[in-house]
Amino acid sequence: MIRVYNTLSRSKEPLEPVQPGKVGIYLCGPTVYKPSHIGHMVGPVIFETVKRYLAYSGYDVTLVVNVTDVDDKLIAESKARGVSMAALAAEMTADYMNNLEALGIDAIDQFPRCTDNMDEIIRFTGTLIEKGFAYESGGDVYFEVGKAAGYGKLSGRELEAMQGEGGGTAERKRAGADFALWKSAKPGEPSWESPWGPGRPGWHIECSAMSRRLLGETFDIHGGGLDLVFPHHENEIAQSESCHGRPMAKYWMHNGLMQASDEVGKLGGRKTRAAEGDLQAQEAGKISKSKGSAPFSELLNEFSGETIRFFVLSTHYRRPIDFGPARIREVQTGLETFYRFFKRYQRVTGESFYAIKPPAKRDEAKYEPGQSPVLDAAAEDRRRFLEAMDDDFNTGGAIGALFDLVRGLNKFVDDEKLEEPGRQSPEQLAVLKQGATMLAELAATLGLFRKSPEQESSGDGELTGKLMELLIEVRADARKAKNFAMADKIRDSLSKIGVTLEDRPGGTEWSAGK
């Protein structure tokens, strides 16, 4: 049974979808006014992985990620750059989509944009006015927080302690905590016609309207970063549940925030001040546009998309993620363990690991005990992987099981000397192939190892390969001439930049992360 930590109940609950066999997931996406950074990639990696695992477990899953393409920040940035808001939003949305593609994120079903859902947003706002939960004031429309039953139940905040928008709108509101559903347009700003005059929607109402249109009045999982619990998700609940008289979502899942490693301690067994669920501590070190975070596209110049995906999934999604080049390189070194095995697999079997067609569904995989000690151990690793993922999608624990599985397969190759000519019996090859199929099956649920690193590399890959062949040849000549100091210098210098050389009976091979 899959269990999900629900922020609303502050406990793990069995996954019991609204409609048996189907799961609807809504994830709050970016406001596209500047290039996306690493923090924007965390949610898509995590919730696309959740979708993959649920689909593998037999559910029919729909994943929706919205794009906010009208907002005060967009308007300000478009004016600063001298371009239209629509042109800026299109440019930044394209950047976001390119980054998702680089991470292997291709299982998101819908990317609704605010500007394409204006009629739905206006209808939703009008219904809240009709039901007495919202009011018009000077061309603006505000939600009256004091009328929402249970307001504050997600964040645990008391209404009396809450402060709403101030500035020039404070005098238009009945109470300080009331928030805008519709904002009247200032001269020269983009606007849409509405019963309350030209304007644009507030941030919160768009998600209520779009999630209802695509997933229904009550859906299964609403996701987002921990920083969205209040006010965004709290206000979504107030709007949707006041409008429909029923829960908006059954489960509220919130991922930890990406932390600048020089501001927050270390993770993965290291000391950290930003504990799981500790919003205040995580906010202090959060990576954001306002803090001048580098565009994600620049990070892709240094690391492959798969390396970054592996890095994000190496930590349980509810924990803060310690971000920094050193930490990514550490994770990259671990990833090389798998890449080296894939090369061994091809040498031994003559087949590509990436050509394996593993079972796509959990109940399709049949592993009979007693066939081989190696496969029995691999099956136990598989059981631990599934146990970790069933327990609130613990990808960190699941990856630990993958490491154990690949270590067992490597030991089998070593013990049986399968890389030596003539040592591979049909029985041994069958064991290795079945173990590798288990590895491919489980990795696929995390969106990993779908393409070889060479397929993902840029056009510089061919040149890099030729240069490495040249260095390996120079090192081999140095060893033949007994110039071991030179040979060691080449090996050690390459190691310092993340390139590993392995001397094998058939020659020297190299491996490295991007």
Side-chain angles (χ1 to χ4, degrees):
M1 175 181 288
I2 296 173
R3 296 192 303 157
V4 180
Y5 183 86
N6 190 348
T7 305
L8 188 61
S9 67
R10 293 160 181 76
S11 64
K12 292 180 185 177
E13 302 175 7
L15 178 64
E16 297 174 348
V18 176
Q19 298 182 53
K22 295 186 176 182
V23 176
I25 305 174
Y26 186 92
L27 173 65
C28 288
T31 300
V32 285
Y33 71 101
K34 284 187 177 180
S36 51
H37 56 71
I38 180 66
H40 294 121
M41 300 297 111
V42 176
V45 167
I46 289 168
F47 285 92
E48 196 234 25
T49 300
V50 168
K51 177 188 172 174
R52 288 180 182 279
Y53 188 72
L54 290 176
Y56 166 75
S57 299
Y59 292 97
D60 179 8
V61 187
T62 300
L63 173 58
V64 176
V65 179
N66 78 293
V67 174
T68 298
D69 58 352
V70 53
D71 180 84
D72 292 344
K73 294 176 181 177
L74 261 162
I75 293 171
E77 184 69 14
S78 66
K79 288 181 178 178
R81 288 184 47 177
V83 298
S84 70
M85 185 186 75
L88 176 64
E91 178 189 343
M92 295 301 109
T93 300
D95 169 76
Y96 180 69
M97 297 300 179
N98 289 337
N99 293 331
L100 295 185
E101 182 181 3
L103 289 166
I105 296 172
D106 55 13
I108 297 173
D109 299 288
Q110 298 271 358
F111 288 97
R113 291 164 170 77
C114 180
T115 55
D116 293 333
N117 288 269
M118 210 57 71
D119 289 345
E120 182 74 14
I121 292 169
I122 290 171
R123 277 195 296 272
F124 203 118
T125 302
T127 300
L128 287 172
I129 293 175
E130 291 169 8
K131 292 190 173 187
F133 292 103
Y135 57 92
E136 187 271 339
S137 178
D140 296 340
V141 178
Y142 295 97
F143 185 89
E144 193 165 357
V145 170
K147 291 187 176 181
Y151 189 81
K153 61 186 177 181
L154 184 68
S155 61
R157 301 192 182 200
E158 297 292 334
L159 180 58
E160 292 75 16
M162 296 180 188
Q163 295 296 321
E165 299 159 321
T169 67
E171 71 279 1
R172 301 181 195 173
K173 299 191 295 183
R174 295 176 182 173
D178 294 352
F179 58 88
L181 302 177
W182 188 260
K183 299 180 178 182
S184 57
K186 298 181 179 68
E189 290 185 347
S191 64
W192 287 259
E193 288 300 323
S194 79
W196 320 286
R200 61 184 185 277
W203 176 32
H204 315 300
I205 191 66
E206 63 180 85
C207 288
S208 285
M210 291 189 286
S211 64
R212 179 180 71 175
R213 182 174 71 81
L214 295 171
L215 298 174
E217 292 180 358
T218 299
F219 54 94
D220 299 290
I221 297 173
H222 196 314
L226 185 63
D227 54 338
L228 296 183
V229 172
F230 185 86
H232 188 47
H233 289 168
E234 194 76 75
N235 289 349
E236 282 188 56
I237 290 175
Q239 295 163 162
S240 294
E241 298 189 358
S242 297
C243 185
H244 307 130
R246 57 189 298 180
M248 180 183 185
K250 286 194 69 174
Y251 308 93
W252 289 82
M253 293 176 61
H254 292 94
N255 58 269
L257 307 181
M258 186 68 75
Q259 306 284 293
S261 59
D262 58 346
E263 294 198 31
V264 181
K266 297 281 187 175
L267 293 180
R270 305 167 177 85
K271 185 177 181 181
T272 177
R273 297 192 308 275
E276 181 181 298
D278 185 346
L279 176 58
Q280 185 174 2
Q282 290 193 41
E283 281 277 18
K286 183 182 74 169
I287 291 173
S288 65
K289 290 172 182 171
S290 62
K291 294 182 180 179
S293 297
F296 184 72
S297 56
E298 293 182 10
L299 191 64
L300 288 171
N301 292 330
E302 188 173 359
F303 301 101
S304 72
E306 183 159 75
T307 297
I308 298 168
R309 184 179 186 118
F310 193 78
F311 162 70
V312 171
L313 295 177
S314 294
T315 300
H316 188 286
Y317 78 88
R318 286 194 285 120
R319 300 198 65 184
I321 303 173
D322 174 37
F323 171 75
R327 174 59 182 145
I328 298 182
R329 290 191 187 97
E330 179 184 324
V331 169
Q332 180 178 293
T333 299
L335 191 59
E336 287 295 330
T337 300
F338 295 95
Y339 294 156
R340 287 194 292 272
F341 170 74
F342 301 157
K343 290 180 180 179
R344 299 188 84 183
Y345 178 83
Q346 182 150 9
R347 287 194 297 268
V348 172
T349 66
E351 301 171 5
S352 170
F353 174 86
Y354 297 95
I356 293 174
K357 301 297 183 185
K361 300 292 184 182
R362 184 173 183 161
D363 58 5
E364 294 174 2
K366 307 296 182 184
Y367 300 109
E368 298 296 331
Q371 300 178 63
S372 155
V374 176
L375 291 180
D376 286 348
E380 173 59 19
D381 295 330
R382 178 178 181 271
R383 185 196 66 77
R384 291 192 300 107
F385 179 100
L386 298 177
E387 184 179 73
M389 290 297 289
D390 285 348
D391 185 13
D392 194 31
F393 309 105
N394 182 2
T395 55
I399 285 176
L402 287 187
F403 272 110
D404 289 340
L405 200 164
V406 78
R407 277 192 286 265
L409 295 178
N410 271 322
K411 186 175 185 301
F412 175 64
V413 173
D414 291 336
D415 290 348
E416 302 298 324
K417 298 181 173 58
L418 296 185
E419 289 194 79
E420 295 182 9
R423 293 295 300 244
Q424 309 95 342
S425 70
E427 294 76 17
Q428 289 170 323
L429 289 177
V431 167
L432 182 60
K433 288 181 180 181
Q434 191 164 359
T437 298
M438 281 194 215
L439 178 58
E441 171 200 350
L442 301 178
T445 71
L446 304 180
L448 296 171
F449 313 139
R450 300 163 65 203
K451 297 179 181 178
S452 68
E454 290 77 13
Q455 287 176 291
E456 293 186 344
S457 64
S458 66
D460 295 335
E462 184 177 354
L463 175 60
T464 300
K466 290 180 179 179
L467 289 173
M468 285 306 305
E469 288 175 9
L470 177 60
L471 283 170
I472 289 171
E473 183 179 344
V474 170
R475 178 172 175 266
D477 290 343
R479 295 175 74 185
K480 287 177 184 177
K482 299 188 184 302
N483 188 352
F484 298 114
M486 176 60 73
D488 290 345
K489 183 177 181 181
I490 293 173
R491 181 198 62 207
D492 294 343
S493 296
L494 289 173
S495 178
K496 289 178 181 178
I497 61 172
V499 177
T500 301
L501 297 183
E502 290 186 273
D503 296 316
R504 298 185 172 277
T508 300
E509 293 194 352
W510 68 277
S511 60
K514 184 175 176 180

